[in-house]
Amino acid sequence: IAGITQAPTSQILAAGRRMTLRCTQDMRHNAMYWYRQDLGLGLRLIHYSNTAGTTGKGEVPDGYSVSRANTDDFPLTLASAVPSQTSVYFCASSGHAGEGNIQYFGAGTRLSVL
Amino acid sequence: GNSVTQMEGPVTLSEEAFLTINCTYTATGYPSLFWYVQYPGEGLQLLLKATKADDKGSNKGFEATYRKETTSFHLEKGSVQVSDSAVYFCALKDYGGSQGNLIFGKGTKLSVKP
């Protein structure tokens, strides 16, 4: 079982370009999340999805969009990247209440916007 | 709103020293509490959890007790090893919230010297 796969692992992007970070899980979890990790700020929630077909805004959603067409995939799109979006991005998923709603994380995507 | 405050690092210890990382929380409901660990270059992984007051979570020699009276969930380990060097995140999940996501502290970096 792979768990959560994120791609790419790292990317350097010119400001103004469009970028999609990919996230796929094979655990059939209903809920998925995107966080960004910045030094001194911990992890902050960007967007989330409680089930396929629904999405919601987290703490820092501006400049990002998501879609959840099916259970397994939860891509994060930067429509026009800016340098302040330089960060490490983590995708996570969580399963059922019986599992204690533990969140499982991918290995992250390190993004630099120049 | 809900929040998590954990001691700032970095924390540097010698091998076999005793470790405490303080974590306190503010929550409107009855949250579950978690400690996640992030090893260099990796995503976060669950270290331990507690779902109700007085529960003790434990794993890999680490322990934390859910103290409702002091709203705390301090992480302890009696004898740290070099392999414990990582960033540790305290987090809460408030089941009364609409999002169901985790709220993280800012993280505490631990370095263990041989």
Side-chain angles (χ1 to χ4, degrees):
Chain A
I1 295 178
I4 295 187
T5 302
Q6 291 186 236
T9 55
S10 65
Q11 182 74 44
I12 299 173
L13 189 66
R17 297 296 297 269
R18 179 184 180 91
M19 175 75 189
T20 295
L21 280 58
R22 300 185 298 278
C23 175
T24 299
Q25 54 108 352
D26 62 3
M27 297 176 282
R28 307 303 293 171
H29 285 168
N30 284 328
M32 297 187 74
Y33 313 86
W34 274 105
Y35 296 90
R36 58 178 290 172
Q37 182 180 26
D38 301 289
L39 191 64
L41 297 176
L43 279 80
R44 295 179 292 169
L45 183 69
I46 305 171
H47 285 286
Y48 66 96
S49 169
N50 286 331
T51 189
T54 69
T55 62
K57 295 181 179 180
E59 180 184 356
V60 288
D62 293 344
Y64 306 95
S65 63
V66 292
S67 61
R68 188 86 184 278
N70 56 61
T71 296
D72 297 343
D73 301 301
F74 191 44
L76 176 74
T77 297
L78 289 66
S80 179
V82 296
S84 62
Q85 292 177 311
T86 294
S87 187
V88 182
Y89 292 86
F90 288 100
C91 180
S93 71
S94 65
H96 314 290
E99 297 176 352
N101 293 109
I102 296 167
Q103 288 193 14
Y104 298 86
F105 285 78
T109 294
R110 184 175 296 275
L111 180 66
S112 296
V113 182
L114 305 178
Chain B
N2 298 337
S3 66
V4 174
T5 303
Q6 61 181 105
M7 63 185 287
E8 295 192 18
V11 174
T12 302
L13 296 174
S14 297
E15 207 165 22
E16 299 184 0
F18 184 86
L19 168 71
T20 300
I21 300 178
N22 290 337
C23 172
T24 57
Y25 68 90
T26 301
T28 54
Y30 300 92
S32 291
L33 301 172
F34 305 83
W35 277 100
Y36 278 80
V37 58
Q38 183 181 30
Y39 297 105
E42 299 183 9
L44 279 72
Q45 55 186 278
L46 179 70
L47 180 61
L48 53 85
K49 68 180 178 74
T51 57
K52 62 183 186 297
D54 300 325
D55 269 2
K56 177 184 283 188
S58 61
N59 186 27
K60 299 181 180 180
F62 291 88
E63 294 183 339
T65 300
Y66 189 141
R67 300 289 187 197
K68 188 170 175 58
E69 64 275 14
T70 55
T71 61
S72 65
F73 192 55
H74 304 322
L75 182 68
E76 297 182 336
K77 186 174 185 181
S79 177
V80 294
Q81 305 300 312
V82 173
S83 57
D84 294 326
S85 297
V87 181
Y88 293 82
F89 292 91
C90 186
L92 74 80
K93 184 178 179 75
D94 185 352
Y95 290 95
S98 60
Q99 292 180 185
N101 62 289
L102 292 175
I103 296 180
F104 287 90
K106 295 183 178 180
T108 302
K109 183 176 182 179
L110 171 66
S111 296
V112 181
K113 306 299 183 184

